[in-house]
Amino acid sequence: MEVQKVVSSLTFRYIARYLLVLSATVFLVIIGMYSIYSYNYFSELSATIVAEQDTLNLIYEGQSLEGIERYVGDQGETRITDHFYYLVSDLGGDKVAGDLPESTAYREFEDGWLGFELALLEWGESVDVEFLAREVVLGEEYRVLVARSYQEAVAQGRLVLHTLVRTMLVTIVLGLVGGYFAAARSLRRFEWLGREMSRIVSGNPSQRLDADAEKGQVRELAHVINRMLDQTESLMDGVRSVSDNIAHDLRTPLTRLRNQLSQLQQDLPERNGKAMEVLISDCDALLASFNAVLRISALEAGSCYSGDKEVDLGQVLRDVVDLYEPLAQEKGLAIHMTTLPRAHCRGEADLLFQLFANVLDNAIKYTPEAGDISVSLDHISGDSGYRVSIADCGPGISAEHWRDVFRRFYRVEPSRSALPGHGLGLSMAQAIAQYHGGSVDLEDNAPGLRVVISLP
């Protein structure tokens, strides 16, 4: 199945949009959680620094500078990784105690808060560490800078954030891959529905979809289509039954009328005899239409041909061309014919003769004077069937009418309807072809129309 078709399908686009919306929502939630975590962490970190400054004030008030030095030294020797760092200096800026260097580039924040970066040795390697610090004055002689690293929290936050982002990206990729296969499967099922519907419409309308073989919504859709096909077939049968009954019921009185007109013609003077011939000719045309309608109904109601008669298609075509060649010559038309040396199929010769005759008669009727008509018989590529093509150079039929011209009594535009006929020629041709397990298709001959008859 083509990738472009799957990607452009409604199912895949829906899954992709859902994943994008979900991913955007998750990303916003992650950013929100990270922001809340950062705010709470730095709030707690600031509170611990302030509390540590209060502790140093109490120590200085009770033990003066010696107590501060001893406390700072003890804190520097602790093995706690996330401990406080100090810089005790006099008012002149000279370092008195602590483990922070005297010269550090600080970034000043609000309310006296400072930030700086310092290279520390961890596991024998130099690592740049971020600090948050605040300075407090001890008495009137000393200042102490209390700092605490937030590098580990930042690293953990980044690790969590990166992990969540990578997980989200993997989820998107896996979701798109899964969505692709889900869309491909869904597309295959709907293509199956389309193929089956085309087969039923172009073949036997009484066939139905195998809904029990499907699941879910496709199964429900198949049941709905089957019910629709039942109603459509019922309506078509009703219309066909009405037209057949009308044709059947009117054929007998019309035949009687035609015979009576023929008898009256013998007793009429010559000047009225021509008018009577026109009436008889109209009756013959109506009888031919009624017989064609009944013949089409009989062919459509019957099953496919299952006899064992062998027909030489080349000979049938030659007979049809020989019959219509004088009519074509009257219009100055040239019929070019190419056949196979041997082309045998199973069927009824008279029906196949009528099939080719109807199509060739239309070609002669709509081809302008001094035009050309081509009749060809060849093998279907990759198949054991035959392909008969009858092409003219007339006005042709637009593609939007190709399906409609096979309906009974359908006439296309007025330019074609002006010519004699009842719109049953292609309907009869299609009924005969389907009776033999074949089909009739129309193609653009540029200019003109090409009728392609496929027979097994």
Side-chain angles (χ1 to χ4, degrees):
M1 184 174 294
E2 297 181 2
V3 176
Q4 180 64 29
K5 184 184 294 186
V6 176
V7 173
S8 60
S9 65
L10 180 62
T11 303
F12 182 81
R13 285 185 292 165
Y14 174 80
I15 294 175
R17 290 174 183 173
Y18 174 78
L19 282 173
L20 290 177
V21 172
L22 179 63
S23 301
T25 303
V26 172
F27 184 77
L28 292 177
V29 171
I30 291 174
I31 294 298
M33 292 177 60
Y34 185 76
S35 301
I36 294 173
Y37 167 78
S38 300
Y39 176 80
N40 293 334
Y41 174 80
F42 280 99
S43 296
E44 294 179 0
L45 183 64
S46 303
T48 58
I49 292 176
V50 172
E52 185 69 11
Q53 289 177 335
D54 294 339
T55 301
L56 292 174
N57 272 319
L58 291 175
I59 295 175
Y60 183 78
E61 291 175 359
Q63 304 178 22
S64 69
L65 182 60
E66 290 79 7
I68 294 294
E69 292 177 344
R70 187 165 51 252
Y71 178 80
V72 170
D74 293 340
Q75 292 294 320
E77 295 177 356
T78 183
R79 295 183 178 274
I80 300 175
T81 56
D82 189 20
H83 62 82
F84 290 97
Y85 292 82
Y86 309 92
L87 174 61
V88 182
S89 60
D90 55 22
L91 296 181
D94 296 329
K95 180 177 178 180
V96 177
D99 46 8
L100 291 176
E102 299 180 33
S103 58
T104 303
Y106 298 104
R107 298 189 304 274
E108 296 185 2
F109 304 120
E110 297 179 340
D111 299 331
W113 290 97
L114 304 173
F116 62 92
E117 183 178 306
L118 188 64
L120 299 179
L121 289 177
E122 293 186 4
W123 305 99
E125 296 182 0
S126 178
V127 179
D128 292 333
V129 180
E130 294 281 349
F131 288 89
L132 181 66
R134 193 177 188 189
E135 193 174 59
V136 64
V137 178
L138 300 177
E140 297 181 354
E141 300 179 359
Y142 300 100
R143 294 180 302 179
V144 59
L145 183 69
V146 181
R148 193 171 186 183
S149 170
Y150 57 89
Q151 185 70 23
E152 184 176 355
V154 172
Q156 291 178 355
R158 289 176 179 172
L159 177 62
V160 173
L161 182 63
H162 292 168
T163 302
L164 291 176
V165 170
R166 291 191 185 98
T167 303
M168 183 179 65
L169 293 177
V170 172
T171 302
I172 292 175
V173 173
L174 293 179
L176 290 176
V177 172
Y180 175 85
F181 288 106
R185 183 173 181 270
S186 177
L187 192 60
R188 280 195 298 269
R189 296 170 74 182
F190 281 102
E191 284 182 347
W192 170 80
L193 280 178
R195 288 194 303 270
E196 291 297 305
M197 284 295 297
S198 300
R199 179 180 60 83
I200 292 174
V201 170
S202 61
N204 185 3
S206 63
Q207 296 178 345
R208 295 295 178 265
L209 299 173
D210 187 8
D212 295 333
E214 295 298 318
K215 298 179 181 179
Q217 293 181 343
V218 176
R219 182 176 183 176
E220 296 178 4
L221 180 60
H223 282 299
V224 172
I225 292 176
N226 284 338
R227 289 196 295 269
M228 181 185 67
L229 290 173
D230 291 337
Q231 295 179 359
T232 303
E233 185 181 14
S234 177
L235 293 174
M236 291 176 61
D237 289 341
V239 173
R240 190 180 296 114
S241 177
V242 170
S243 62
D244 293 346
N245 290 336
I246 292 175
H248 185 272
D249 293 341
L250 292 181
R251 184 171 59 172
T252 299
L254 188 60
T255 302
R256 190 182 303 117
L257 176 62
R258 195 265 183 205
N259 293 335
Q260 291 177 356
L261 291 175
S262 180
Q263 293 175 2
L264 289 174
Q265 185 183 17
Q266 300 175 2
D267 300 330
L268 292 176
E270 182 178 356
R271 69 175 181 274
N272 295 329
K274 293 183 179 180
M276 189 64 70
E277 287 182 1
V278 174
L279 295 176
I280 294 175
S281 177
D282 291 341
C283 289
D284 290 337
L286 288 175
L287 285 171
S289 298
F290 290 158
N291 290 329
V293 169
L294 295 175
R295 190 68 181 273
I296 292 173
S297 298
L299 290 170
E300 291 177 345
S303 59
C304 292
Y305 177 77
S306 58
D308 56 355
K309 294 181 180 179
E310 191 174 85
V311 178
D312 185 350
L313 286 181
Q315 185 60 47
V316 174
L317 271 179
R318 283 189 290 270
D319 292 342
V320 172
V321 172
D322 291 341
L323 177 65
Y324 280 90
E325 196 163 23
L327 179 61
Q329 290 177 354
E330 290 181 4
K331 291 185 63 176
L333 306 180
I335 301 179
H336 307 282
M337 181 177 176
T338 57
T339 62
L340 297 172
R342 176 180 174 82
H344 293 276
C345 72
R346 300 198 176 277
E348 297 185 15
D350 58 338
L351 289 178
L352 294 174
F353 183 94
Q354 186 174 5
L355 164 60
F356 302 142
N358 285 356
V359 178
L360 184 58
D361 181 72
N362 281 343
I364 294 175
K365 187 185 300 182
Y366 296 111
T367 300
E369 294 184 359
D372 293 326
I373 298 175
S374 63
V375 179
S376 62
L377 169 63
D378 53 15
H379 288 286
I380 297 177
S381 59
D383 199 344
S384 58
Y386 297 100
R387 182 177 185 268
V388 178
S389 175
I390 300 177
D392 60 59
C393 58
I397 300 176
S398 58
E400 61 187 33
H401 296 291
W402 285 357
R403 183 183 298 273
D404 296 327
V405 294
F406 292 105
R407 288 160 38 196
R408 301 181 187 181
F409 303 106
Y410 183 84
R411 307 299 299 274
V412 192
E413 57 271 7
S415 61
R416 297 179 68 91
S417 300
L419 295 174
H422 298 283
L424 293 172
L426 288 178
S427 299
M428 176 69 77
Q430 185 187 52
I432 296 174
Q434 292 180 352
Y435 174 75
H436 287 84
S439 63
V440 179
D441 299 299
L442 303 182
E443 298 177 357
D444 187 8
N445 195 41
L449 180 69
R450 177 182 291 107
V451 181
V452 179
I453 304 162
S454 301
L455 295 171

